[in-house]
Coordinates of all heavy atoms in Angstrom, one line a residue:
V184 N 29.1 22.5 18.6 CA 29.6 22.6 17.3 C 29.4 21.3 16.6 O 29.0 21.2 15.4 CB 31.0 23.1 17.2 CG1 31.6 23.1 15.8 CG2 31.2 24.5 17.8
F185 N 29.8 20.2 17.2 CA 29.7 18.9 16.7 C 28.2 18.6 16.3 O 27.9 18.1 15.2 CB 30.2 17.8 17.6 CG 29.9 16.4 17.2 CD1 30.7 15.8 16.2 CD2 28.8 15.7 17.6 CE1 30.5 14.5 15.8 CE2 28.6 14.4 17.2 CZ 29.4 13.8 16.3
G186 N 27.3 18.9 17.2 CA 25.9 18.7 16.9 C 25.3 19.5 15.8 O 24.5 19.0 15.0
T187 N 25.8 20.7 15.7 CA 25.3 21.6 14.6 C 25.8 21.1 13.3 O 25.0 21.0 12.3 CB 25.8 23.0 14.8 OG1 25.3 23.5 16.0 CG2 25.4 23.9 13.7
M188 N 27.1 20.7 13.2 CA 27.6 20.2 11.9 C 27.0 18.8 11.6 O 26.8 18.5 10.4 CB 29.2 20.0 12.1 CG 29.9 21.4 12.2 SD 29.6 22.5 10.8 CE 30.4 21.6 9.5
L189 N 26.8 18.0 12.6 CA 26.2 16.7 12.3 C 24.7 16.9 11.8 O 24.3 16.2 10.8 CB 26.2 15.8 13.6 CG 25.5 14.4 13.5 CD1 26.1 13.6 12.4 CD2 25.5 13.7 14.8
G190 N 24.0 17.8 12.4 CA 22.6 18.0 12.0 C 22.6 18.5 10.5 O 21.8 18.1 9.7
Q191 N 23.6 19.4 10.2 CA 23.7 20.0 8.8 C 24.0 18.8 7.8 O 23.4 18.8 6.7 CB 24.7 21.0 8.7 CG 24.9 21.7 7.3 CD 23.6 22.3 6.8 OE1 23.1 23.2 7.5 NE2 23.1 21.9 5.7
A192 N 24.9 17.9 8.2 CA 25.3 16.8 7.4 C 24.1 15.9 7.1 O 23.9 15.5 6.0 CB 26.4 16.0 8.0
L193 N 23.3 15.7 8.1 CA 22.1 14.8 7.9 C 21.1 15.5 7.0 O 20.4 14.9 6.2 CB 21.5 14.5 9.3 CG 22.4 13.7 10.2 CD1 21.6 13.4 11.5 CD2 22.8 12.4 9.6
R194 N 20.9 16.8 7.2 CA 19.9 17.5 6.4 C 20.4 17.5 4.9 O 19.6 17.4 4.0 CB 19.8 19.0 6.9 CG 19.0 19.0 8.2 CD 18.8 20.5 8.7 NE 18.1 20.5 9.9 CZ 18.6 20.7 11.1 NH1 19.9 20.8 11.2 NH2 17.9 20.7 12.2
D195 N 21.7 17.7 4.7 CA 22.3 17.6 3.4 C 22.0 16.3 2.7 O 21.8 16.2 1.5 CB 23.8 17.8 3.4 CG 24.2 19.3 3.7 OD1 23.4 20.2 3.3 OD2 25.3 19.5 4.2
L196 N 21.9 15.2 3.5 CA 21.6 13.9 3.0 C 20.1 13.7 2.8 O 19.7 12.5 2.6 CB 22.2 12.8 3.9 CG 23.8 12.7 3.8 CD1 24.3 11.8 4.9 CD2 24.2 12.2 2.5
S197 N 19.3 14.7 3.0 CA 17.8 14.6 2.9 C 17.2 13.8 4.0 O 16.1 13.3 3.9 CB 17.4 14.1 1.5 OG 18.0 14.8 0.5
V198 N 17.9 13.6 5.1 CA 17.3 12.9 6.3 C 16.1 13.7 6.8 O 16.2 14.9 7.0 CB 18.3 12.7 7.4 CG1 17.6 12.2 8.7 CG2 19.4 11.8 7.0
P199 N 14.9 13.1 7.0 CA 13.7 13.8 7.4 C 13.9 14.6 8.7 O 14.6 14.1 9.6 CB 12.7 12.7 7.6 CG 13.1 11.7 6.6 CD 14.6 11.7 6.7
E200 N 13.4 15.8 8.8 CA 13.6 16.7 10.0 C 13.2 16.0 11.3 O 13.9 16.2 12.3 CB 12.9 18.0 9.7 CG 13.3 19.1 10.7 CD 14.7 19.4 10.7 OE1 15.4 19.3 9.6 OE2 15.3 19.9 11.7
P201 N 12.1 15.3 11.4 CA 11.8 14.6 12.6 C 12.9 13.7 13.2 O 13.0 13.6 14.4 CB 10.5 13.8 12.3 CG 9.9 14.6 11.2 CD 11.0 15.1 10.4
V202 N 13.6 13.1 12.3 CA 14.8 12.3 12.7 C 15.9 13.2 13.2 O 16.5 12.9 14.3 CB 15.2 11.4 11.6 CG1 16.4 10.5 12.0 CG2 14.1 10.5 11.1
V203 N 16.2 14.2 12.5 CA 17.3 15.1 12.9 C 17.0 15.8 14.2 O 17.9 16.0 15.0 CB 17.6 16.2 11.8 CG1 18.7 17.1 12.2 CG2 17.9 15.6 10.4
E204 N 15.7 16.1 14.5 CA 15.4 16.8 15.7 C 15.7 16.0 16.9 O 15.8 16.5 18.0 CB 13.9 17.1 15.6 CG 13.5 18.3 14.7 CD 12.0 18.6 14.7 OE1 11.3 17.8 15.3 OE2 11.6 19.5 14.0
Q205 N 15.8 14.6 16.7 CA 16.2 13.8 17.9 C 17.5 14.2 18.5 O 17.8 13.9 19.7 CB 16.2 12.3 17.5 CG 14.9 11.8 17.0 CD 13.9 11.6 18.1 OE1 14.2 11.0 19.1 NE2 12.7 12.2 18.0
L206 N 18.4 14.8 17.7 CA 19.7 15.2 18.3 C 19.6 16.2 19.4 O 20.5 16.3 20.2 CB 20.5 15.9 17.2 CG 20.9 15.0 16.0 CD1 21.7 15.7 14.9 CD2 21.6 13.7 16.4
R207 N 18.4 16.9 19.5 CA 18.3 17.9 20.6 C 18.3 17.2 22.0 O 18.7 17.8 23.0 CB 16.9 18.6 20.5 CG 16.7 19.4 19.3 CD 15.4 20.2 19.3 NE 14.3 19.2 19.4 CZ 13.2 19.4 20.1 NH1 13.1 20.4 20.9 NH2 12.2 18.5 20.1
H208 N 18.0 15.9 22.0 CA 17.9 15.2 23.3 C 19.2 14.3 23.6 O 19.2 13.5 24.5 CB 16.7 14.3 23.3 CG 15.5 15.1 22.9 ND1 15.0 16.1 23.7 CD2 14.6 15.0 21.8 CE1 13.9 16.6 23.1 NE2 13.7 15.9 22.0
V209 N 20.2 14.6 22.9 CA 21.5 13.9 23.0 C 22.6 14.9 23.6 O 22.7 16.0 23.1 CB 22.0 13.3 21.7 CG1 23.3 12.6 21.9 CG2 20.9 12.5 21.0
D210 N 23.2 14.5 24.7 CA 24.3 15.3 25.3 C 25.6 15.0 24.5 O 26.2 14.0 24.7 CB 24.4 14.9 26.8 CG 25.5 15.7 27.5 OD1 26.1 16.6 26.8 OD2 25.7 15.5 28.7
M211 N 26.0 16.0 23.7 CA 27.2 15.9 22.9 C 28.3 16.7 23.5 O 29.3 17.0 22.8 CB 26.9 16.3 21.5 CG 25.8 15.6 20.8 SD 25.6 16.1 19.1 CE 24.0 15.2 18.7
S212 N 28.2 17.1 24.8 CA 29.2 18.0 25.4 C 30.6 17.5 25.4 O 31.6 18.2 25.6 CB 28.7 18.5 26.7 OG 28.6 17.3 27.6
R213 N 30.7 16.1 25.4 CA 32.1 15.5 25.6 C 32.6 15.0 24.2 O 33.7 14.3 24.2 CB 32.0 14.4 26.6 CG 31.7 14.9 28.0 CD 32.0 13.9 29.1 NE 31.7 14.4 30.4 CZ 31.9 13.8 31.5 NH1 32.6 12.7 31.5 NH2 31.6 14.3 32.7
V214 N 32.0 15.3 23.2 CA 32.5 14.9 21.9 C 33.5 15.8 21.4 O 33.3 17.0 21.3 CB 31.3 14.8 20.8 CG1 31.9 14.4 19.5 CG2 30.2 13.8 21.3
A215 N 34.7 15.3 21.1 CA 35.9 16.2 20.8 C 36.2 16.1 19.3 O 37.0 17.0 18.8 CB 37.1 15.8 21.6
V216 N 35.6 15.2 18.6 CA 35.9 15.0 17.1 C 35.2 16.1 16.3 O 34.2 16.7 16.8 CB 35.5 13.6 16.6 CG1 36.3 12.6 17.3 CG2 34.0 13.4 16.7
R217 N 35.7 16.3 15.1 CA 35.1 17.3 14.2 C 34.4 16.5 13.0 O 34.8 15.4 12.7 CB 36.1 18.2 13.6 CG 36.6 19.4 14.2 CD 36.7 19.5 15.7 NE 37.4 20.7 16.1 CZ 38.2 20.8 17.1 NH1 38.6 19.7 17.8 NH2 38.8 21.9 17.5
V218 N 33.4 17.1 12.5 CA 32.7 16.5 11.3 C 33.2 17.1 10.1 O 33.3 18.4 9.9 CB 31.2 16.8 11.4 CG1 30.5 16.2 10.2 CG2 30.6 16.1 12.7
V219 N 33.7 16.3 9.1 CA 34.1 16.7 7.8 C 33.3 16.0 6.7 O 33.4 14.8 6.7 CB 35.6 16.5 7.6 CG1 36.0 16.9 6.2 CG2 36.4 17.1 8.6
T220 N 32.5 16.7 6.0 CA 31.6 16.1 5.0 C 31.8 16.7 3.6 O 32.5 17.7 3.5 CB 30.1 16.2 5.4 OG1 29.8 17.6 5.4 CG2 29.8 15.7 6.7
S221 N 31.3 16.0 2.6 CA 31.3 16.6 1.3 C 29.8 16.5 0.7 O 29.1 15.6 1.0 CB 32.2 15.7 0.4 OG 33.5 15.9 0.7
V222 N 29.5 17.5 -0.1 CA 28.2 17.6 -0.7 C 28.4 18.0 -2.1 O 29.2 18.9 -2.4 CB 27.2 18.5 0.1 CG1 26.0 18.8 -0.7 CG2 26.9 18.0 1.4
P223 N 27.7 17.4 -3.1 CA 27.9 17.9 -4.5 C 27.7 19.4 -4.6 O 26.7 19.9 -4.2 CB 26.8 17.1 -5.3 CG 26.7 15.8 -4.5 CD 26.8 16.2 -3.0
S224 N 28.7 20.0 -5.3 CA 28.6 21.5 -5.3 C 27.4 22.0 -6.1 O 27.0 23.2 -5.8 CB 29.9 22.0 -6.0 OG 31.1 21.6 -5.3
L225 N 26.9 21.3 -7.0 CA 25.8 21.8 -7.8 C 24.4 21.4 -7.2 O 23.4 21.5 -7.9 CB 25.9 21.2 -9.3 CG 27.1 21.7 -10.0 CD1 27.1 21.1 -11.4 CD2 27.2 23.2 -10.1
R226 N 24.4 20.9 -6.0 CA 23.2 20.5 -5.4 C 22.6 21.6 -4.6 O 22.9 21.9 -3.5 CB 23.4 19.3 -4.4 CG 22.1 18.8 -3.7 CD 22.5 18.3 -2.4 NE 21.3 17.9 -1.6 CZ 20.7 18.8 -0.8 NH1 21.0 20.0 -0.8 NH2 19.6 18.4 -0.1
G227 N 21.8 22.4 -5.2 CA 21.0 23.5 -4.6 C 21.8 24.2 -3.5 O 22.7 25.0 -3.7
G228 N 21.3 24.0 -2.2 CA 21.8 24.7 -1.1 C 23.3 24.6 -0.8 O 23.9 25.3 0.0
A229 N 24.0 23.6 -1.4 CA 25.4 23.4 -1.2 C 26.2 24.6 -1.6 O 27.2 24.9 -1.0 CB 25.9 22.1 -1.9
R230 N 25.7 25.3 -2.6 CA 26.4 26.5 -3.1 C 26.4 27.6 -2.1 O 27.3 28.5 -2.1 CB 25.8 26.9 -4.4 CG 26.2 26.0 -5.6 CD 25.5 26.4 -6.8 NE 24.0 26.0 -6.7 CZ 23.2 26.2 -7.7 NH1 23.6 26.7 -8.9 NH2 21.9 25.8 -7.6
A231 N 25.4 27.6 -1.1 CA 25.3 28.7 -0.2 C 26.4 28.6 0.9 O 26.7 29.6 1.5 CB 23.9 28.7 0.5
H232 N 26.9 27.4 1.2 CA 27.9 27.3 2.2 C 29.0 26.3 1.8 O 29.2 25.3 2.5 CB 27.3 27.0 3.6 CG 26.4 25.9 3.6 ND1 25.1 25.9 3.1 CD2 26.5 24.6 4.1 CE1 24.5 24.8 3.3 NE2 25.3 24.0 3.9
A233 N 29.5 26.5 0.6 CA 30.5 25.6 0.0 C 31.8 25.5 0.8 O 32.5 24.5 0.7 CB 30.8 26.0 -1.4
Q234 N 32.0 26.5 1.7 CA 33.2 26.4 2.5 C 33.1 25.3 3.6 O 34.1 25.0 4.3 CB 33.5 27.8 3.1 CG 32.6 28.2 4.3 CD 31.3 28.7 3.8 OE1 31.0 28.8 2.6 NE2 30.4 29.1 4.7
A235 N 31.9 24.7 3.7 CA 31.7 23.7 4.8 C 32.0 22.3 4.3 O 31.8 21.4 5.1 CB 30.3 23.8 5.3
Y236 N 32.5 22.1 3.1 CA 32.6 20.8 2.5 C 34.0 20.5 2.0 O 34.8 21.4 1.6 CB 31.6 20.6 1.4 CG 30.2 20.9 1.8 CD1 29.4 21.9 1.2 CD2 29.6 20.2 2.8 CE1 28.1 22.1 1.5 CE2 28.3 20.4 3.2 CZ 27.6 21.4 2.5 OH 26.3 21.6 2.9
G237 N 34.3 19.2 1.9 CA 35.5 18.7 1.3 C 36.8 19.4 1.8 O 37.0 19.6 3.0
L238 N 37.7 19.7 0.9 CA 39.0 20.3 1.2 C 38.8 21.6 2.0 O 39.6 21.9 2.9 CB 39.8 20.5 0.0 CG 40.5 19.3 -0.7 CD1 41.3 19.7 -1.9 CD2 41.3 18.5 0.3
A239 N 37.8 22.4 1.6 CA 37.6 23.6 2.3 C 37.2 23.4 3.8 O 37.7 24.1 4.7 CB 36.4 24.4 1.6

Side-chain angles (χ1 to χ4, degrees):
V184 173
F185 173 81
T187 299
M188 294 300 295
L189 178 59
Q191 180 61 54
L193 298 180
R194 292 184 179 99
D195 285 334
L196 290 170
S197 305
V198 173
E200 192 62 26
V202 179
V203 180
E204 286 178 357
Q205 296 290 305
L206 298 178
R207 297 185 299 137
H208 309 298
V209 182
D210 181 1
M211 304 183 187
S212 59
R213 298 197 180 184
V214 178
V216 299
R217 276 33 173 221
V218 176
V219 179
T220 64
S221 290
V222 170
S224 298
L225 297 179
R226 179 210 175 276
R230 286 172 287 184
H232 49 290
Q234 73 280 2
Y236 304 121
L238 286 183

